[in-house]
Amino acid sequence: MTVECSAELSEMFELIEAMGVPAGYRVEIIEGAIVLNQHRKVHAVIIRELTRALGDTSSGIVIDTASWPRD
């Protein structure tokens, strides 16, 4: 299925907003279908590390990738 017009796409985005997607999940529109996926654990770790690093105003951004889980 493909999205034929911007009205269909707008409707899909409205549906996504109304879904109340739980934390740890993401919603995508793939080939006209709304798809709900759980974030992989490594994704959450990367976001957490980046958030910490960006919040640290000291000498620069350093991210320790050794502690990241490998999938």
Side-chain angles (χ1 to χ4, degrees):
M1 177 175 139
T2 61
V3 178
E4 297 297 326
C5 66
S6 62
E8 284 182 68
L9 189 58
S10 294
E11 185 177 320
M12 293 180 92
F13 279 116
E14 288 175 17
L15 286 169
I16 290 170
E17 288 176 9
M19 287 173 67
V21 179
Y25 287 81
R26 70 172 183 260
V27 177
E28 300 174 287
I29 298 174
I30 301 175
E31 295 183 6
I34 297 174
V35 180
L36 177 69
N37 289 311
Q38 187 174 18
H39 284 291
R40 293 184 353 196
K41 184 177 180 180
V42 70
H43 183 259
V45 172
I46 291 169
I47 290 173
R48 185 173 54 247
E49 292 289 329
L50 284 171
T51 301
R52 285 183 189 157
L54 293 172
D56 183 9
T57 58
S58 62
S59 62
I61 296 174
V62 177
I63 299 174
D64 177 17
T65 61
S67 64
W68 292 1
R70 307 288 183 219
D71 287 345

